[in-house]
């Protein structure tokens, strides 16, 4: 029986992740920062960001300050708690600088070669029993695990797919790869629960559940815009008010990042081989123009004036 099937009947004790005191988060982009903040704030872990880009670190820390200050003004956090959370957070600029750590979550750009390189370096640097999770949105966990050094145990690699924005969204989709052990799965689920998240488990299939369903919907909205079926505002309003979605698909795409949306569609298209997953030409053009959505200031909407 596969790990996946066995897991369905397993009850997880929070104790299995009790040894985790420090978490390293590789990549301090919009997802990495959210994951690190929730780990430091909710699970009270020491958090070390691994990020080579100074600007991203500055941006990330600015975001952490903004979120915590907002919570102070709403009475959800005290000044003292804010200082305690911030004192648990540190940064290093490369994987090789990670000091003794208990669990690693990789949240770098959605690119298979980059992720494989990071996993190869992590596995060369870390003790072989350290669990390394990937926050990939779509790439095969088994493929990423294939990059670990022979000295490392691939049963320690797992997918831990947080949703954006991490401090707000309740779900973490957990993806055991082909070689992931039951213990790795149990520890990862327990850690997500310690971060006050609800977990679901998905088979290691392209896009898992979340993006197998979400991305073709977003892609179709971009095709509808390109075909002139309706304006961007009307596409979004139709789905928001007509289908009770919290935001329209084009606004959501801007929020996720158009480069990330394109990368996920490319994985679905390549791995599933069905033309229905072909990325919208307009999506590709926007990414090539550097219009990546909210994070770059422009996507389907303009955020520079806000
Ligand atoms: P992002 O572009 O905001 O951040 C990516 C970060 O990775 C950047 O800070 C970049 O400097 C860093 N990075 C690149 N190379 C690195 C290296 N060698 N070492 C360390 N850091 C490096 O992207 P994001 O939206 O945070 O996405 C990150 C991951 O999370 C992707 O795999 C994505 O698919 C996944 N994800 C994204 C969303 C979303 O809505 N954006 C949701 C769930 C999962």
């Amino acid at each position: 029986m596969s790990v996946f099937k066995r897991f369905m009947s397993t009850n997880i004790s929070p104790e299995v992740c009790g040894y985790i005191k420090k978490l390293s988060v590789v990549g301090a982009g919009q997802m990495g920062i959210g994951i690190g903040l929730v780990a430091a704030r909710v699970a009270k872990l020491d958090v070390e960001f691994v990020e080579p880009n100074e600007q991203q670190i500055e941006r990330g820390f600015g975001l952490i300050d903004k979120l915590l200050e907002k919570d102070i003004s709403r009475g959800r956090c005290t000044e003292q708690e804010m200082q305690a959370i911030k004192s648990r957070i540190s940064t290093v600029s490369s994987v090789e600088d990670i000091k003794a750590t208990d669990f690693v979550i990789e949240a770098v750009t959605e690119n298979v070669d980059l992720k494989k390189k990071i996993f190869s370096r992590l596995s060369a640097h870390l003790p072989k029993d350290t669990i390394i999770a990937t926050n990939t949105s779509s790439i095969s966990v088994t493929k990423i695990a294939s990059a670990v050094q022979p000295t490392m145990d691939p049963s320690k690699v797992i997918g831990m797919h947080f949703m954006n924005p991490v401090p707000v969204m309740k779900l973490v989709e957990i993806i055991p790869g082909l070689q992931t052990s039951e213990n790795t799965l149990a520890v990862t689920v327990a850690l997500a629960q310690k971060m006050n998240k609800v977990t679901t488990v998905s088979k290691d299939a392209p896009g898992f559940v979340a993006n197998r369903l979400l991305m073709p919907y977003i892609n179709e909205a971009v095709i509808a815009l390109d075909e002139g079926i309706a304006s961007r505002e009307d596409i979004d309003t139709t789905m928001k008010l007509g289908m009770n979605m919290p935001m329209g698909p084009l606004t959501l795409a801007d929020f996720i990042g158009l480069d990330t949306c394109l990368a996920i569609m490319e994985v679905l298209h390549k791995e599933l081989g069905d033309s229905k997953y072909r990325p919208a030409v307009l999506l590709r053009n926007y990414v090539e123009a550097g219009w990546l959505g909210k994070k770059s200031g422009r996507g389907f909407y303009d955020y520079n004036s806000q």
Side-chain angles (χ1 to χ4, degrees), residues 26-32 50-53 56 59 93 95 106-111 114-115 118 121 134-139 161-164 211 255-257 259-260 264 295:
V26 187
Q30 54 180 343
M31 292 305 292
V50 182
E51 171 62 63
N53 183 336
Q56 287 292 91
R59 199 150 88 162
S93 59
V95 160
E106 167 277 308
V108 303
T109 318
E110 187 76 348
N111 175 301
L114 175 63
K115 286 190 190 282
I118 295 281
R121 285 168 58 197
T134 171
N135 185 46
T136 179
S137 307
S138 62
I139 300 167
H161 181 210
F162 287 82
M163 306 291 138
N164 187 14
N211 283 316
F255 187 66
I256 292 169
D259 52 340
T260 302
I264 296 169
K295 66 182 171 187

Side-chain angles (χ1 to χ4, degrees), residues 30 164 214-215 218 251-258 260-261 295:
Q30 54 180 343
N164 187 14
L214 176 67
M215 277 307 150
I218 286 179
T251 304
L252 179 56
D254 275 357
F255 187 66
I256 292 169
L258 303 190
T260 302
C261 293
K295 66 182 171 187

Side-chain angles (χ1 to χ4, degrees), residues 179-195:
Q179 300 179 82
T180 306
S181 70
E182 206 167 345
N183 179 63
T184 299
L185 181 54
V187 172
T188 307
V189 169
L191 177 62
Q193 289 171 352
K194 195 170 177 179
M195 292 167 78

